[in-house]
Amino acid sequence: MSSNHIETQAIRTQIERSQYLEHSNPLYLTSSYIFEDAEDMRASFADEKDRNIYSRYSNPNTSEFIEKICKMEGAERGYAFASGMSAVFSTFAALLNAGDHIISSRSVFGSTQTMYNNILPKWNISTNYFKINEIDKIESLIQPNTKVIYAESPTNPAVDILDLELLGQIAKKHNLILIIDNCFATPYLQQPIKFGADIVIHSATKLIDGQGRVLGGVTVGSEALIQKIYLFSRNTGPALSPFNAWVLSKSLETLPVRVDKHCENAFKVAQFLETHNKVNLVKYPFLKSHPQYELAKKQMKLGGNIVAFEIKGGIEAGRNFLNRIKLLSLSANLGDTRSIVTHPASTTHAKLSEDDRLQTGITGGLVRVSVGLEYVDDIINDLNQALN
Ligand SMILES: *Cc1c(COP(=O)(O)O)cnc(C)c1O
């Protein structure tokens, strides 16, 4: 019954049905599971049996969700977390030792950046950065204690593309673990393991849920690496709740059709913005004008749902634009059915120095649109009236 097609992998799993022969996988709200007898209990705790013991370790709903992501990403095994950030933190905490060193892309999610600056240094774990167009400088950053290369592609919020295959080659050559946060692409548009990633992380809160309801995260990779992450996590407790796992597994069933439509709408929005005289620059991976257009075409099935553009007139123009928006939401989320606009320079990235902002491609007039599933002309009309 197994199939290689990602649309089928997002829907079908080998679920065991109860006596009711339900078609859709039910929600298992149970914190623990019972044993037949003393021997069953002993063998289960000795890891001699592959079964549920306690929902901090595993649960049928989280297992179903993980199984789908693993198949879609081409990974051997995974673990599901309460949020994207608990996936990022637990992955670092499980794989790194005190005193280790990370080489990271400069353009990473804000909380990941905060982790590098304020949290990992507690264990003397340090980070050096490379810019998105300076992957060739990574080798000069490697130290004897370097363990990990970490990157996102496409990046937030500037929608730049990193060469995953090149990153994979460098990681392999120096025996480093390549971790890719694949949140913006989803497992449907891009599978980093094909290009040499060892670990793939998702915030499932974004396009995987896709309807702005639940938080979730997942890390997938090889059996050996995930075993370390599993042992760390089953003892420290960042597990995804069964309810959220059930929601997310249902969401995956429609991920391919939703993302197809998100990308179709985003491409039209990007094309419209390119023609507007108040717009300096539009960044969308599948626009020919994108600096890494060829790379995006190689790595991704479609261009994703995030469009970044720069309004003429800098930070004030960006804020004025947001105040004139009527239909779209001003919200911190992305990947929702509802389109969302944000102005990174005055919000998510306001705490950075202007120099640090510019290093990650965030100019004063940069606006990020998470293009949703409303009728595309309604989205375009709202952006148009706010620009004019
Ligand atoms: C949102 C996001 C995260 C964090 O995920 P949460 O579910 O909010 O904890 C990590 N990486 C990227 C790229 C994100 O967009």
Side-chain angles (χ1 to χ4, degrees):
M1 207 189 77
S2 76
S3 162
N4 295 325
H5 296 104
I6 207 157
E7 292 82 354
T8 311
Q9 290 163 345
I11 295 173
R12 295 278 178 182
T13 48
Q14 309 281 349
I15 64 168
E16 276 176 46
R17 297 196 161 81
S18 77
Q19 79 245 45
Y20 301 114
L21 298 179
E22 63 282 345
H23 191 198
S24 168
N25 206 8
L27 169 58
Y28 295 93
L29 281 184
T30 179
S31 40
S32 66
Y33 306 84
I34 53 172
F35 303 98
E36 305 278 349
D37 52 30
E39 172 52 22
D40 183 28
M41 196 161 186
R42 183 208 62 78
S44 300
F45 274 86
D47 286 332
E48 288 165 17
K49 290 185 172 181
D50 183 18
R51 54 154 293 165
N52 295 301
I53 297 174
Y54 192 65
S55 284
R56 173 152 41 79
Y57 303 6
S58 66
N59 166 282
N61 295 115
T62 53
S63 299
E64 190 203 23
F65 171 62
I66 293 165
E67 182 188 330
K68 287 181 179 181
I69 299 281
C70 282
K71 286 212 183 110
M72 295 170 84
E73 289 284 4
E76 289 171 5
R77 193 174 161 194
Y79 189 85
F81 297 89
S83 69
M85 286 325 298
S86 61
V88 175
F89 176 70
S90 304
T91 301
F92 281 142
L95 299 181
L96 298 179
N97 293 318
D100 280 346
H101 176 245
I102 299 167
I103 297 175
S104 175
S105 162
R106 184 49 88 187
S107 305
V108 290
F109 187 68
S111 294
T112 307
Q113 185 69 55
T114 303
M115 208 175 281
Y116 293 151
N117 293 344
N118 301 342
I119 297 173
L120 295 178
K122 285 172 188 261
W123 297 284
N124 203 16
I125 294 170
S126 57
T127 310
N128 280 121
Y129 301 98
F130 61 93
K131 290 193 208 154
I132 53 115
N133 55 354
E134 292 182 343
I135 290 182
D136 53 334
K137 297 220 172 113
I138 289 178
E139 289 190 305
S140 68
L141 298 174
I142 296 175
Q143 304 174 7
N145 56 342
T146 305
K147 279 272 176 65
V148 158
I149 300 177
Y150 188 97
E152 298 170 12
S153 182
T155 64
N156 179 32
V159 212
D160 290 307
I161 304 292
L162 275 80
D163 189 333
L164 298 178
E165 193 171 6
L166 190 54
L167 287 172
Q169 284 164 1
I170 297 169
K172 189 148 199 232
K173 180 170 162 205
H174 297 277
N175 208 10
L176 304 175
I177 301 168
L178 176 62
I179 304 178
I180 299 294
D181 178 337
N182 200 28
C183 172
F184 270 39
T186 80
Y188 175 58
L189 297 181
Q190 174 174 280
Q191 298 92 35
I193 289 172
K194 275 202 309 224
F195 298 106
D198 300 294
I199 294 273
V200 174
I201 297 179
H202 285 282
S203 165
T205 315
K206 311 296 170 49
L207 283 154
I208 290 179
D209 173 41
Q211 289 146 85
R213 301 167 298 188
V214 300
L215 296 183
V218 61
T219 297
V220 299
S222 66
E223 173 64 37
L225 291 174
I226 298 298
Q227 175 64 7
K228 290 189 184 180
I229 293 168
Y230 167 71
L231 290 177
F232 173 86
S233 302
R234 86 175 211 181
N235 289 298
T236 54
L240 182 65
S241 81
F243 178 77
N244 285 6
W246 179 80
V247 170
L248 291 169
S249 187
K250 292 278 156 229
S251 303
L252 279 178
E253 296 179 14
T254 57
L255 182 82
V257 284
R258 281 188 288 108
V259 171
D260 276 342
K261 188 69 182 174
H262 273 290
C263 294
E264 184 190 321
N265 283 357
F267 189 58
K268 287 182 183 158
V269 166
Q271 283 178 319
F272 156 75
L273 289 167
E274 264 200 327
T275 65
H276 202 287
N277 63 5
K278 298 258 170 61
V279 173
N280 269 338
L281 170 80
V282 182
K283 292 272 283 296
Y284 183 71
F286 271 36
L287 278 183
K288 286 222 171 68
S289 58
H290 192 287
Q292 296 103 22
Y293 169 76
E294 293 298 334
L295 192 55
K297 284 265 175 178
K298 177 185 147 196
Q299 293 179 180
M300 299 172 72
K301 185 181 166 81
L302 294 163
N305 86 311
I306 307 293
V307 181
F309 66 100
E310 193 184 279
I311 298 184
K312 292 181 184 165
I315 210 157
E316 266 319 295
R319 286 165 51 92
N320 287 338
F321 170 78
L322 249 63
N323 284 332
R324 291 195 201 98
I325 284 288
K326 293 192 177 123
L327 176 72
L328 276 55
S329 312
L330 312 186
S331 173
N333 197 17
L334 63 92
D336 198 303
T337 49
R338 287 156 282 250
S339 298
I340 294 168
V341 280
T342 54
H343 181 231
S346 70
T347 58
T348 46
H349 295 72
K351 290 201 192 84
L352 296 183
S353 70
E354 184 164 357
D355 200 43
D356 279 352
R357 271 208 297 272
L358 291 178
Q359 288 224 19
T360 50
I362 302 166
T363 55
L366 188 83
V367 171
R368 187 192 77 188
V369 188
S370 166
V371 179
L373 300 181
E374 301 97 337
Y375 190 69
V376 68
D377 289 346
D378 294 338
I379 303 171
I380 290 174
N381 287 341
D382 194 33
L383 294 169
N384 191 31
Q385 65 79 23
L387 281 167
N388 295 335

